[in-house]
Amino acid sequence: MNGGKRIWLIWAVIIAVMLGGAYAITSRNIASAGGDTSGGYVH
Amino acid sequence: MTDATQLRAAARSSLASVALTSAFIAVNHLYVLGPRALLLGGFIAGASTLLLLWFRHNASKIAFAGYLVINLWVVVGFGLYKGLWKGVLRLFLGSWLASFSSSYPKPFVGTFIYEASGILMFVGSLFVAYYAIGLIRSVSFGPSESVPRGAFGTPRWLAVTGVLAAAVVIAAYVFEERDRFEAPPSGVVTIGVIAPTTGPYSILGNSFVKAVQMAQSDLKGTKYKYELKIADSGPDPTKARDIVRNVIEGEKVEAVIGAVSLIGEVTKPFATKARIVHTCVCTVTRIGDGGYNFTNIPSPQAEAVRWVAEAQRRGIKRIAVISQDYPSINNHVKAMKSEAMRRGLTISYEDRFSDTVTNFRPALARAQASRPDVYYVEGLEPELDILGQQLMDAKIRNIASVVAPSLSERPELFEGAWYTDSDLADMEFKRRFETKYPGTQFATHMMPYAYDSFNMIVQAYERGVNPAVYIRSITSYNGSAGAVVKAPGSGNFQSKPAVWMIKNGRPALLSSESTANQIVARVQP
């Protein structure tokens, strides 16, 4: 593997890890907000 | 490769990175700007293309400078500031910091598309910077062979610089995001009290404000002086926006206590931006993000559990529901029905009326025909008392509700009715209030929580702790509303409502879950 391809592969891994982490955090956030069925407006 | 070919290749790579990043910028900003975000992305890509074409046509230095300015805007504004600082660092480092220290707020987390586009905006901007440097090299030095060695640094130097820059940025974020205690100027803590004291929620709003005022006047021997900035938000959230902004950004209050979810939703982003604590006596739990915003009141689900338990204790099996079509009432009814059906009770009849209805007799006749054991009624004034009068005329006395009878202007119409409402561990609190404010209706549903919310903020200052950090760290609190608990990291205090009854024309507490009257707060070590 030449240097150029290796750099692109490293970037692909970095981006995949960050997107995977974002997916995990956003999924957990949606799950924890799932209990909010109140939606009331007055009190 | 000729100079011209190399320049064209560098320009193509640079423009491609700008175009791709502008697409990420557009997606990311859709959540804030709506369709106008497409104009933003289109402007960046379009202007960059036109400037490069202009530069290619007559080698205009102005065009090239303009192109680089747009690149700089993309890299610094969208990439480093929004993508890195407010995106990647907030999402990953902010979440991690908040998970182990209450000194850090739990960050806002958007949808996956929003967060992913923020990450890609940052990564894209790095490519924009990289290819822009390549383009400058080509324009400045011609073929790569003639570029002076070290003009843009060696790879090793770039790597070391990159690691150092990353360490500095991370350290800056860790320092900047930490909430610290700041002693109030001149020893005076100013607390904003935002509630609708006019309009349909005025009974709730006025009693809420007076509960906070009573908490303030109850303070004895405190280290700091506590002043209130009271603002009538009115019932309209659109108009409330300017009022909330004025209290938080104009008056620069140190904390906010708010009432009513409708207004709490408006206050939340202002409190977050100002990094001040906002305790909201409201049922919409999403307002309580656990960062700077916290809710403190029984949830509709908690009301439902208590209501159904009491109904079963009374041997009730069939329920007729007559309720007003209103968001918070609908949520009480929805939660009650769900819990009732889960526990094997039957809804024998259901009628949802609008605020234009004044004749409830046909609905009452249909409800009677369904042979219910209890009539669940809930509404707002003036419909509530009209319904109460017609229930009395029909000699229907087996009435139950959630909260509503305590808000009635003629509670005697609901004589004998039982209902769930906020607990009142300290009954002396109600007596003192009624003595102090004889003309003000005591709205049990909110007042003890308003009183306790004020005292939580006071406790924080008296202990020399940032109030947001203090409330984040609290997992339980025993106050005038009885025991409330909060899961670590949560923004919602959970409390158990109590069963009340209208007795001799006045609300009387039948059963309470409270075990303590003494106000103590337990703080995590």
Side-chain angles (χ1 to χ4, degrees):
Chain A
M1 188 183 285
N2 63 33
K5 278 187 180 172
R6 193 182 301 129
I7 288 171
W8 280 109
L9 183 64
I10 290 168
W11 270 113
V13 170
I14 290 170
I15 292 169
V17 166
M18 285 203 287
L19 292 181
Y23 183 77
I25 292 172
T26 53
S27 301
R28 194 180 59 189
N29 189 55
I30 289 167
S32 65
D36 184 6
T37 54
S38 54
Y41 285 94
V42 175
H43 307 309
Chain B
M1 194 183 279
T2 65
D3 288 6
T5 312
Q6 188 179 4
L7 186 59
R8 272 200 297 275
R12 265 199 305 273
S13 299
S14 174
L15 188 58
S17 66
V18 171
L20 192 61
T21 306
S22 65
F24 298 139
I25 291 169
V27 173
N28 187 262
H29 285 74
L30 274 174
Y31 293 88
V32 183
L33 301 176
R36 283 179 299 165
L38 300 176
L39 291 177
L40 174 66
F43 171 77
I44 293 168
S48 300
T49 307
L50 288 174
L51 287 166
L52 263 192
L53 285 174
W54 180 13
F55 173 66
R56 184 181 164 186
H57 188 252
N58 58 7
S60 163
K61 286 182 179 173
I62 294 172
F64 191 61
Y67 178 77
L68 292 181
V69 166
I70 291 182
N71 275 235
L72 193 66
W73 181 32
V74 169
V75 172
V76 177
F78 295 108
L80 297 181
Y81 179 63
K82 285 196 166 177
L84 176 63
W85 188 271
K86 294 177 91 76
V88 174
L89 291 175
R90 167 187 54 79
L91 185 66
F92 295 113
L93 187 55
S95 298
W96 181 71
L97 289 168
S99 69
F100 80 88
S101 171
S102 58
S103 292
Y104 293 92
K106 201 163 68 173
F108 160 79
V109 176
T111 64
F112 174 68
I113 298 293
Y114 174 77
E115 300 298 352
S117 60
I119 291 167
L120 293 172
M121 200 161 70
F122 164 59
V123 174
S125 76
L126 296 182
F127 281 84
V128 170
Y130 176 79
Y131 286 119
I133 289 170
L135 183 61
I136 294 169
R137 287 169 64 139
S138 297
V139 171
S140 305
F141 303 111
S144 58
E145 291 77 16
S146 62
V147 176
R149 196 169 172 77
F152 293 94
T154 61
R156 181 186 289 270
W157 184 85
L158 281 173
V160 170
T161 308
V163 169
L164 277 176
V168 168
V169 169
I170 289 170
Y173 189 89
V174 170
F175 178 82
E176 171 61 24
E177 288 301 299
R178 185 183 174 91
D179 284 314
R180 296 172 182 80
F181 176 73
E182 285 178 24
S186 313
V188 179
V189 179
T190 311
I191 299 173
V193 183
I194 304 174
T197 53
T198 52
Y201 317 133
S202 58
I203 290 178
L204 290 168
N206 278 307
S207 57
F208 172 89
V209 168
K210 287 192 167 57
V212 178
Q213 287 175 318
M214 200 168 96
Q216 181 200 27
S217 66
D218 282 352
L219 293 178
K220 299 279 184 297
T222 52
K223 194 190 303 177
Y224 299 112
K225 190 179 170 197
Y226 296 86
E227 284 185 356
L228 303 178
K229 290 279 179 195
I230 297 166
D232 174 17
S233 64
D236 184 347
T238 313
K239 292 177 182 165
R241 194 175 169 78
D242 287 340
I243 293 157
V244 170
R245 181 189 286 115
N246 182 52
V247 170
I248 294 179
E249 295 178 356
E251 301 282 356
K252 298 203 180 303
V253 295
E254 269 93 15
V256 173
I257 305 172
V260 179
S261 297
L262 211 59
I263 307 304
E265 297 258 35
V266 176
T267 308
K268 179 179 175 178
F270 286 102
T272 303
K273 187 179 167 196
R275 294 175 67 168
I276 60 169
V277 74
H278 164 221
T279 56
C280 187
V281 182
C282 46
T283 56
V284 175
T285 51
R286 66 173 172 269
I287 292 173
D289 55 17
Y292 297 98
N293 301 277
F294 301 86
T295 65
N296 188 11
I297 201 168
S299 65
Q301 289 73 24
E303 299 275 8
V305 168
R306 191 72 189 91
W307 192 95
V308 171
E310 179 66 12
Q312 287 192 308
R313 192 186 70 77
R314 290 167 178 260
I316 288 166
K317 290 189 170 54
R318 294 170 64 79
I319 306 161
V321 181
I322 301 173
S323 63
Q324 189 164 343
D325 185 9
Y326 203 85
S328 61
I329 294 175
N330 293 343
N331 279 306
H332 283 156
V333 173
K334 183 181 168 190
M336 184 278 289
K337 282 168 58 185
S338 170
E339 178 67 10
M341 287 190 268
R342 196 177 71 82
R343 302 286 291 268
L345 276 62
T346 303
I347 306 298
S348 65
Y349 175 78
E350 185 172 5
D351 179 82
R352 186 179 287 184
F353 61 86
S354 71
D355 59 3
T356 56
V357 176
T358 53
N359 181 11
F360 297 97
R361 293 179 190 89
L364 292 177
R366 287 193 293 273
Q368 276 181 308
S370 73
R371 295 176 290 104
D373 298 320
V374 73
Y375 293 79
Y376 178 104
V377 297
E378 194 174 354
L380 298 171
E381 293 294 7
E383 290 78 19
L384 176 65
D385 285 351
I386 297 171
L387 173 59
Q389 182 65 60
Q390 292 175 18
L391 281 161
M392 185 169 267
D393 295 343
K395 297 189 170 31
I396 294 171
R397 304 317 306 154
N398 47 336
I399 301 167
S401 184
V402 170
V403 178
S406 76
L407 301 177
S408 168
E409 289 172 8
R410 295 180 59 201
E412 68 277 9
L413 293 173
F414 297 92
E415 185 67 25
W418 64 269
Y419 60 98
T420 59
D421 201 347
S422 300
D423 199 354
L424 207 54
D426 180 9
M427 285 304 285
E428 185 59 26
F429 171 64
K430 184 171 189 259
R431 277 189 283 275
R432 284 193 303 117
F433 182 92
E434 287 171 342
T435 305
K436 196 174 174 75
Y437 305 107
T440 305
Q441 190 169 347
F442 186 91
T444 313
H445 194 44
M446 300 175 82
M447 297 179 54
Y449 300 101
Y451 187 91
D452 292 348
S453 295
F454 175 85
N455 280 314
M456 284 183 197
I457 294 166
V458 170
Q459 280 190 356
Y461 273 98
E462 294 299 305
R463 294 176 187 202
V465 183
N466 179 297
V469 175
Y470 182 74
I471 296 181
R472 276 176 215 148
S473 66
I474 286 177
T475 54
S476 68
Y477 188 91
N478 282 330
S480 61
V484 295
V485 293
K486 182 170 73 62
S490 169
N492 309 120
F493 285 96
Q494 306 284 337
S495 48
K496 289 182 179 174
V499 180
W500 292 72
M501 184 180 226
I502 300 296
K503 207 171 177 179
N504 301 321
R506 291 171 59 82
L509 186 61
L510 282 188
S511 67
S512 166
E513 295 284 342
S514 302
T515 54
N517 283 346
Q518 205 176 4
I519 297 175
V520 286
R522 193 172 69 232
V523 181
Q524 281 183 320

